[in-house]
C-alpha cells in the first residue's frame, strides 16, 4: 500500500480527539522499516539539502540537522501533501475554540501560497541526527509570521536497539500553573503528530490557550535519526 493510501486509512477521528485532548497523537507503524532506512541513508547526500545546522553552534542542543531543498524527496512530499488536509479541520477547530478569526486553507498548496505572500519561501522538512550525548533543547518551529499549529516527526531508528535515551519531550505551560512534561518513546516508523506552538484546553469557564514546546532528551548510547515535517515554509 502506498503512503497516500496508508495516510487516508488512519483513524483520523481518534487522532483528532487525541490532538484536542492532549496536543499530540502517536500513530504506530506508518512508515515501513525500508522507508525509514532509505530516509536515513539519504542523510549523507548533500545534494538533497539546502542547509545544515550544527546545533551546538546556536545553543540549540547537541546534534545536527539538515533542511531538505525543493523539490522534496517523493516520500516527504507525499507525506506533507496527504497529512495536511487531515489536520487543517482540526486546526480550524482550535481557532474556533479560542475565538480566533484565523482559518487555515484546505490544501498544502494554498498554505504555501500564503507563506510565499509573506516572503516565507524556504522548505522546512528536515532530518535530524544525534549521537551519544546529543539532545535537542525545548523549542518551537515557527519560522515566520505564517505558521501552521501542528507538525509531525518520524523516528527512523529503533529505540532500545539502535540507541538508548532520546525520548521525545513535550512541555505544556498553562497560564498561572506549573509546567507539565510528557515523555514519549516512539518506535521506528511511528508517526508522532504534535502542536507547533499552542493548543486549546478546556477549563471551567471555556477554552484557553496552552503554550507548548518540544525537544529530545539526551541520547545515552547509539545514534538516533528522525525526519520532521513542518507544513509552513520559512522566511
Amino acid at each position: 500500500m502506498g503512503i497516500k493510501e496508508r495516510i487516508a486509512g488512519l483513524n483520523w477521528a481518534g487522532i483528532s480527539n487525541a490532538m484536542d485532548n492532549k496536543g499530540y497523537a502517536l500513530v504506530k507503524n506508518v512508515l515501513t522499516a525500508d522507508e525509514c532506512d532509505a530516509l536515513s541513508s539519504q542523510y549523507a547526500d548533500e545534494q538533497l539539502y539546502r542547509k545544515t545546522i550544527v546545533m551546538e553552534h546556536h545553543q540549540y542542543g547537541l546534534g545536527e540537522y539538515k533542511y531538505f531543498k525543493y523539490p522534496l524527496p517523493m516520500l516527504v512530499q507525499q507525506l506533507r501533501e496527504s497529512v495536511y488536509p487531515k489536520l487543517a479541520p482540526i486546526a480550524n477547530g482550535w481557532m474556533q475554540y479560542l475565538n480566533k478569526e484565523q482559518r487555515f486553507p484546505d490544501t498544502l498548496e494554498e498554505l504555501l501560497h500564503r507563506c510565499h505572500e509573506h516572503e516565507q519561501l524556504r522548505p522546512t522538512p528536515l532530518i535530524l541526527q544525534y549521537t551519544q550525548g546529543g539532545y535537542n533543547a525545548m523549542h518551537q518551529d515557527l519560522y515566520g509570521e505564517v505558521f501552521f499549529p501542528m507538525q509531525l516527526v518520524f523516528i527512523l531508528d529503533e529505540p532500545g536497539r539502535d540507541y538508548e535515551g532520546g525520548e521525545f519531550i513535550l512541555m505544556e505551560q498553562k497560564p498561572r500553573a506549573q509546567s507539565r512534561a510528557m515523555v514519549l518513546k516512539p518506535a521506528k516508523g511511528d508517526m508522532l503528530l504534535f502542536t507547533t506552538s499552542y493548543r486549546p484546553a478546556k477549563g471551567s469557564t471555556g477554552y484557553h490557550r496552552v503554550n507548548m514546546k518540544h525537544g529530545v532528551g539526551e541520547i545515552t548510547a547509539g545514534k538516533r535519526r528522525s525526519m520532521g515535517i513542518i507544513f509552513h515554509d520559512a522566511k
Side-chain angles (χ1 to χ4, degrees):
M1 185 185 297
I3 191 61
K4 291 183 178 180
E5 291 77 18
R6 272 176 270 164
I7 294 300
L10 296 178
N11 177 11
W12 285 102
I15 292 170
S16 178
N17 185 61
M19 293 299 294
D20 283 349
N21 291 327
K22 300 184 293 186
Y24 73 89
L26 180 59
V27 187
K28 305 295 288 183
N29 300 315
V30 174
L31 293 186
T32 67
D34 286 345
E35 287 168 336
C36 292
D37 293 343
L39 286 166
S40 293
S41 70
Q42 291 176 344
Y43 193 78
D45 186 355
E46 295 298 335
Q47 295 183 348
L48 295 174
Y49 305 100
R50 66 173 177 85
K51 190 173 185 179
T52 298
I53 302 293
V54 179
M55 295 168 66
E56 55 264 40
H57 291 175
H58 306 275
Q59 298 183 337
Y60 295 163
L62 184 63
E64 183 179 86
Y65 56 89
K66 298 179 180 182
Y67 289 108
F68 288 105
K69 66 181 181 183
Y70 283 132
L72 300 174
M74 183 177 295
L75 178 60
V76 179
Q77 179 67 23
Q78 289 178 335
L79 284 166
R80 207 182 189 206
E81 286 182 348
S82 56
V83 173
Y84 174 84
K86 303 293 188 181
L87 295 180
I90 308 173
N92 286 330
W94 285 12
M95 299 303 105
Q96 287 183 303
Y97 293 149
L98 295 172
N99 294 315
K100 294 172 70 75
E101 293 183 1
Q102 183 179 13
R103 294 294 182 271
F104 297 96
D106 294 335
T107 67
L108 178 68
E109 182 180 8
E110 293 172 285
L111 176 73
L112 295 180
H113 179 70
R114 191 176 295 180
C115 288
H116 298 169
E117 289 180 329
H118 289 79
E119 299 182 354
Q120 294 175 218
L121 304 172
R122 298 181 296 164
T124 46
L126 71 167
I127 287 190
L128 306 96
Q129 177 173 279
Y130 310 91
T131 54
Q132 185 173 349
Y135 69 95
N136 196 344
M138 305 304 292
H139 66 284
Q140 298 173 329
D141 297 309
L142 302 180
Y143 296 112
E145 182 180 347
V146 178
F147 68 89
F148 188 69
M150 301 169 192
Q151 62 192 80
L152 57 92
V153 67
F154 290 93
I155 306 303
L156 305 179
D157 295 296
E158 188 63 51
R161 184 190 69 192
D162 300 318
Y163 68 94
E164 301 288 346
E167 296 84 358
F168 188 91
I169 303 168
L170 280 166
M171 184 70 71
E172 185 178 80
Q173 300 169 303
K174 291 186 177 180
R176 299 176 297 281
Q178 293 182 332
S179 298
R180 178 170 74 107
M182 291 156 280
V183 181
L184 308 173
K185 196 78 170 181
K188 182 174 182 175
D190 291 353
M191 179 172 70
L192 177 61
L193 305 109
F194 58 99
T195 178
T196 299
S197 175
Y198 62 88
R199 71 175 183 91
K202 191 172 185 179
S204 57
T205 59
Y207 285 92
H208 58 275
R209 171 174 167 154
V210 172
N211 290 325
M212 296 184 76
K213 293 184 177 181
H214 64 276
V216 174
E218 182 179 350
I219 285 76
T220 56
K223 181 184 291 185
R224 178 192 189 276
R225 289 160 294 193
S226 59
M227 191 268 288
I229 292 183
I230 298 149
F231 296 99
H232 48 275
D233 278 353
K235 198 158 187 175

